[in-house]
Amino acid sequence: MGTFILRRAWQGFLVVLGVTLTVFVVTRVFGDPVSLMLPLSASAEQRAAFAEGLGLNQPLLVQFVQFAADLATFDFGESAWQRRPAINVVFERLPNSLLLIGAGLGLAVVLSVPMGVVAALRPGGIVDRLTVGLGLLGLSMPQFWVGLLLIVVFAVQLQVLPTSGMGTPAHLVLPSVTLALVPLARLTMLVRSSMIDELNQQYVKTARAKGMPLRRIIGVHALRNASIPFLTLVGWELILTLAGYTVVVETVFAWPGLGLTAIQALQRGDLFLVQAIVFTIAIMIVLINIALDVVFKLIDPRINLN
Amino acid sequence: MTISLRGLLASTALAASMALVTPAAFAQSITVAIGSEPSTLDPQLRDDGGERQVNDNIYETLMARTPEGELEPGLAAEVPTQVDETTWEFTLREGVTFHNGEPFNADAVVASVERIIDPENNSEQMAYFGTIAGAEKVDDLTVRILTTGPDPILPSRMYWMKMIPPDYAEEGDLASEPVGTGPYRFVDWQRGTSIELAVNEDYWGPEPDVEAVTFRFVGEPGTRLSGLMAGEFDVIINLLPEFTASVENFAAVEGLETSVFVLGADNELTSDVRVREALNLAIDRQAMADSLFQGYATIAAGHHVNPRAFGFNDDLESYPYDPERARELIEEAGAVGATLEVIGESGRWLKDREQIETVAGYWSEIGLETDVQIQEFSQYLDSLMGDGPRPDSIFIANSNELLDADREASYIYHMDGAASSNSDEEMAAMIDEARVTTDPEARQELYDAIFQRGHDMHYTVPLFNLQDIYGMSPRMEWQPRVDAKMLIKEMSVSE
């Protein structure tokens, strides 16, 4: 197990390095960060001084060497937009994103299991059709639209929840529900189809014939067998949320997380901050993958990790 | 003396209810939703809308403006006097202190000027202060500001330069805990979410009505509108014209930006003044103002100068919509079927892409082919200000923070201007002269001539003076300012 984790960590390191270097090249080769960062009224001298201050007037190769050296010490340079170390901005915003993702994905995980199981008990029944219908609806509605809809209903019309920002638990409700919707739909569908498969297996039929209670069959056997695809999908949803969904949801709800910050950094051409954010997200994705592998091994020792 | 129990209870209840009611009745606090978070609260570093919207309430400047844009003394006690061509003398208001107790005096002005022009500081605001050479203390309340050459708009520049406390600037943290002389003092900054200010009890000016203000950072216009409708926000900025119908209380005011196409007067097609005139006559500006801006845009009066700026030519009128004449002119110039390059960007200014595409549509109707290119911003900047060949026509929303026509004249009309597309030496000489003429009347005459010439030569296709629209909660009373500053001290709450 130890060797396995070390090997995966090394592979993960290479992935993070690859992603970060790609971002390095893309941000420097396409577009001109100096024009994006400075106001329209800035003079040519100011542009030159600014580029020099950031080391952007150096040849690309020199910049690259400097970049690699800084990377080794986790130094991402100073965010040109906020004029403080980019990594500090990341550390400040990351917990906000994790809170939102934890609440949203937690909601999806907690609700999807009972919903999927109940639907699977009577395939084609009214509960099942309702669940499938809601699932399809959840998957087909764009998140920003759902977000705005929730704001209009719960914040503007009913005035029971705040529209945006963060601070109190109430602020978390609408963004986490919006964020939960797509993962909830996908996870519920997965639980439903896995359970239908499991419940049709011979061992279930035998156990039922022997008089084992349904609750025990589902809880002990069927759910355990369905857990690996479920966890794989949870991991996948976590990655999608981290790298994508939060951007939309945080923008709509003005939630000060990493996703919103990434968009602002891109708009302002703040390449050091963009690099730091991409680096952080890449590391987290690698960590999630390693953690999933470890969990799989713990659930089912037969899995060959190599 | 006997005190009845009932009387005691009644007076206690009254006192308790007073205690509950009093703060609410007098302590008016409001929430303002702005579009972006300040990058820093150092008032001398960035040229950043979010920073200004907050710091305009914490800091003050030597000169101020009325809501209508008239220059008036701010921290200066009176209008400055000119000692010689390169020296302006300011007398300072007495008894003003910074929020940390430091006195506001000549030393503070000298420190503020020297800090902002220090190349080490690399201030983005140097675009406004490039002519300033330094400052000298005469006595505690008198200070001289020196310029590198004659600079008639120095008083306007001092309306933009915020005064900082010298000791705190050295030892404190201006970037995250600002200290000014203004009507509001800094309380708290929740990064990513909000900034809170409270009224400065020792403010030298009239006591503001609003006691506390929270600035919330909400980039999405739809979310800002929802927050306003839900009663969370009292003021929101940049209300989209199409949203005005959903808001019961809003105010629109002519802002600082004018949208305009700069024409390449040296280019093969657009060097013919008849073609340039045709481009101006081809556009139904009123229809655009009504449909794109729901009427919340003012048609530019024949030149792209802000109507509130010093130097605006009152005699000029907007170009009429005359597509027949435009077609004739294109035929006379032998340009029928010629391809006109139309360069622009998208997402930087209100309805930029829509304006560019609509105008290109009008131009196609008078016999020209149009080649519309919506460019990525840095590529666009290169088209606008780079060394390469000038485009036939390029869209820009020109803003004028100092409200002085030098900006429009030198930036777009002057042959050496960063965004200019002509090589009119005579025009350039007039602009150079206006820039150093210190007598206001003579200067106005020069600008009248400059803009008349720009108008007759059709160097630009001016479109609209864009309006700033603010949404407000029903309890708010506020008349927005032409300089787009959001001064909380000018706001009041009706309940």
Side-chain angles (χ1 to χ4, degrees):
Chain A
M1 188 76 151
T3 332
F4 159 76
I5 292 177
L6 275 179
R7 184 163 339 120
R8 290 306 303 265
W10 168 245
Q11 289 167 349
F13 171 75
L14 293 180
V15 170
V16 171
L17 196 67
V19 169
T20 322
L21 294 186
T22 310
V23 173
F24 170 84
V25 173
V26 168
T27 47
R28 279 161 177 81
V29 174
F30 302 102
D32 173 11
V34 177
S35 320
L36 286 168
M37 281 186 269
L38 285 183
L40 211 52
S41 53
S43 64
E45 295 80 45
Q46 278 180 296
R47 286 174 200 282
F50 193 73
E52 195 183 334
L54 293 177
L56 296 172
N57 54 343
Q58 303 281 340
L60 209 56
L61 194 67
V62 178
Q63 288 187 47
F64 177 74
V65 171
Q66 184 60 46
F67 170 73
D70 290 344
L71 200 64
T73 56
F74 283 82
D75 177 3
F76 283 91
E78 199 173 65
S79 154
W81 161 35
Q82 302 218 350
R83 293 220 177 162
R84 54 196 180 118
I87 202 76
N88 290 9
V89 180
V90 171
F91 284 148
E92 183 184 282
R93 303 294 163 94
L94 182 62
N96 299 344
S97 283
L98 293 182
L99 176 66
L100 180 59
I101 292 171
L105 217 55
L107 197 65
V109 168
V110 167
L111 291 180
S112 63
V113 176
M115 281 170 70
V117 169
V118 170
L121 287 178
R122 272 181 204 278
I126 192 149
V127 178
D128 184 39
R129 277 191 292 184
L130 207 65
T131 310
V132 173
L134 284 176
L136 285 176
L137 202 65
L139 288 177
S140 50
M141 288 190 298
Q143 276 173 318
F144 72 89
W145 188 75
V146 173
L148 288 174
L149 202 69
L150 290 176
I151 290 177
V152 168
V153 174
F154 292 98
V156 177
Q157 300 293 338
L158 302 175
Q159 305 209 347
V160 289
L161 290 166
T163 53
S164 60
M166 79 177 269
T168 66
H171 283 95
L172 191 58
V173 178
L174 293 184
S176 57
V177 167
T178 310
L179 196 65
L181 222 56
V182 173
L184 174 64
R186 265 202 287 260
L187 289 170
T188 306
M189 303 292 236
L190 178 81
V191 172
R192 174 187 168 275
S193 60
S194 311
M195 287 306 291
I196 289 174
D197 283 350
E198 288 296 324
L199 292 177
N200 283 327
Q201 297 283 325
Q202 194 55 46
Y203 78 90
V204 174
K205 288 178 181 158
T206 315
R208 289 203 76 171
K210 284 182 173 174
M212 189 188 267
L214 188 62
R215 199 183 309 145
R216 191 170 155 79
I217 297 174
I218 292 172
V220 176
H221 301 287
L223 270 183
R224 188 184 171 100
N225 288 343
S227 64
I228 289 195
F230 181 76
L231 280 179
T232 311
L233 188 60
V234 170
W236 179 237
E237 291 297 335
L238 185 56
I239 290 168
L240 284 178
T241 308
L242 197 62
Y245 299 160
T246 49
V247 173
V248 178
V249 175
E250 288 179 2
T251 305
V252 170
F253 290 96
W255 184 270
L258 213 52
L260 180 60
T261 311
I263 288 292
Q264 291 166 335
L266 279 169
Q267 280 169 345
R268 290 163 191 258
D270 188 345
L271 70 167
F272 294 140
L273 186 53
V274 171
Q275 274 166 199
I277 292 174
V278 172
F279 175 83
T280 309
I281 290 176
I283 283 204
M284 294 188 64
I285 289 173
V286 164
L287 288 178
I288 292 165
N289 274 314
I290 297 176
L292 278 177
D293 283 342
V294 172
V295 172
F296 292 158
K297 182 78 180 168
L298 292 176
I299 292 175
D300 188 349
R302 288 170 304 173
I303 290 177
N304 179 3
L305 288 174
N306 297 324
Chain B
M1 191 173 118
T2 56
I3 299 169
S4 75
L5 185 62
R6 186 183 290 176
L8 187 68
L9 281 174
S11 57
T12 313
L14 185 68
S17 63
M18 284 296 284
L20 284 175
V21 168
T22 309
F26 296 104
Q28 298 286 14
S29 73
I30 62 166
T31 305
V32 177
I34 56 179
S36 62
E37 178 169 19
S39 47
T40 167
L41 286 176
D42 186 325
Q44 294 197 326
L45 214 54
R46 310 300 303 261
D47 185 11
D48 170 328
E51 177 268 308
R52 280 205 295 274
Q53 279 148 359
V54 175
N55 272 340
D56 280 344
N57 296 290
I58 300 175
Y59 289 95
E60 290 180 297
T61 49
L62 291 182
M63 299 302 287
R65 283 190 191 277
T66 62
E68 294 75 33
E70 291 297 318
L71 207 58
E72 61 176 11
L75 283 176
E78 55 201 54
V79 174
T81 51
Q82 200 166 8
V83 180
D84 58 45
E85 279 207 324
T86 57
T87 313
W88 289 81
E89 188 168 283
F90 288 80
T91 308
L92 307 181
R93 205 173 278 279
E94 231 179 310
V96 178
T97 54
F98 287 95
H99 302 153
N100 66 343
E102 273 186 62
F104 168 74
N105 51 27
D107 292 325
V109 177
V110 172
S112 301
V113 171
E114 285 180 350
R115 182 172 183 265
I116 208 163
I117 63 172
D118 181 358
E120 281 288 298
N121 200 24
N122 199 13
S123 169
E124 286 176 9
Q125 297 173 20
M126 276 308 282
Y128 306 112
F129 306 123
T131 59
I132 297 179
E136 275 171 8
K137 173 181 175 175
V138 177
D139 59 47
D140 251 10
L141 290 177
T142 315
V143 69
R144 287 181 173 179
I145 295 183
L146 315 171
T147 56
T148 50
D151 182 10
I153 64 170
L154 186 94
S156 295
R157 297 189 196 285
M158 298 317 289
Y159 143 82
W160 207 246
M161 188 190 293
K162 296 193 169 86
M163 293 293 131
I164 48 135
D167 292 344
Y168 185 77
E170 290 283 322
E171 297 147 18
D173 183 6
L174 277 182
S176 40
E177 287 182 37
V179 168
T181 60
Y184 292 89
R185 60 184 169 76
F186 172 80
V187 176
D188 181 42
W189 184 357
Q190 293 289 323
R191 296 265 180 179
T193 314
S194 60
I195 289 175
E196 250 183 271
L197 310 182
V199 77
N200 168 18
E201 309 285 352
D202 302 322
Y203 186 53
W204 58 267
E207 191 185 340
D209 189 49
V210 173
E211 297 241 316
V213 55
T214 303
F215 290 92
R216 286 272 310 275
F217 322 130
V218 185
E220 209 16 64
T223 311
R224 282 201 298 271
L225 175 68
S226 306
L228 180 71
M229 291 170 81
E232 284 173 38
F233 303 145
D234 291 296
V235 180
I236 64 171
I237 67 151
N238 294 344
L239 181 72
L240 296 181
E242 54 269 37
F243 286 168
T244 50
S246 340
V247 175
E248 118 192 34
N249 187 11
F250 70 91
V253 66
E254 277 185 14
L256 294 174
E257 282 174 354
T258 306
S259 58
V260 59
F261 276 93
V262 183
L263 300 181
D266 298 333
N267 293 21
E268 194 182 339
L269 173 62
T270 40
S271 59
D272 191 323
V273 70
R274 289 170 297 187
V275 173
R276 299 202 300 269
E277 183 178 355
L279 296 180
N280 258 322
L281 300 181
I283 304 166
D284 186 349
R285 292 172 173 82
Q286 189 60 51
M288 284 178 73
D290 292 343
S291 59
L292 288 181
F293 297 99
Q294 325 275 310
Y296 296 107
T298 314
I299 294 172
H303 57 324
H304 63 277
V305 179
N306 189 303
R308 311 288 171 163
F310 177 88
F312 179 80
N313 183 336
D314 284 320
D315 297 332
L316 293 179
E317 285 181 10
S318 63
Y319 294 106
Y321 173 47
D322 191 348
E324 285 307 314
R325 177 71 191 135
R327 261 183 228 110
E328 281 170 24
L329 284 165
I330 292 292
E331 272 174 38
E332 279 172 30
V336 177
T339 302
L340 178 84
E341 214 182 4
V342 183
I343 306 274
E345 44 56 67
S346 175
R348 176 92 174 184
W349 297 293
L350 184 63
K351 310 258 172 168
D352 41 16
R353 179 189 273 270
E354 289 90 337
Q355 291 184 72
I356 294 161
E357 288 176 348
T358 312
V359 167
Y362 281 120
W363 286 344
S364 309
E365 283 173 16
I366 57 166
L368 294 170
E369 296 286 326
T370 51
D371 170 20
V372 181
Q373 297 170 35
I374 301 292
Q375 299 179 334
E376 183 272 322
F377 198 65
S378 55
Q379 188 190 1
Y380 161 79
L381 285 183
D382 205 41
S383 304
L384 181 70
M385 301 193 282
D387 302 328
R390 307 303 304 167
D392 293 340
S393 70
I394 183 163
F395 175 87
I396 182 173
N398 176 68
S399 73
N400 189 343
E401 283 78 7
L402 298 183
L403 291 177
D404 187 283
D406 177 58
R407 161 75 179 173
E408 287 93 352
S410 57
Y411 188 56
I412 287 178
Y413 280 143
H414 192 291
M415 57 184 282
D416 296 329
S420 100
S421 294
N422 69 65
S423 49
D424 186 338
E425 289 177 10
E426 200 177 319
M427 182 84 152
M430 290 158 82
I431 295 169
D432 288 338
E433 193 186 342
R435 174 176 280 178
V436 295
T437 300
T438 45
D439 172 41
E441 272 178 38
R443 207 165 160 253
Q444 179 67 52
E445 276 173 27
L446 274 166
Y447 280 125
D448 284 347
I450 289 166
F451 297 132
Q452 183 69 51
R453 185 178 173 88
H455 177 271
D456 297 345
M457 298 297 286
H458 300 272
Y459 285 139
T460 62
V461 176
L463 295 174
F464 307 103
N465 183 237
L466 303 178
Q467 295 193 8
D468 296 328
I469 314 179
Y470 301 84
M472 292 188 273
S473 62
R475 66 179 190 148
M476 283 303 300
E477 283 169 22
W478 179 49
Q479 176 52 48
R481 303 167 54 89
V482 297
D483 61 4
K485 283 196 180 193
M486 202 187 283
L487 300 187
I488 308 297
K489 68 173 182 181
E490 292 174 354
M491 297 181 182
S492 62
V493 180
S494 62
E495 58 184 29

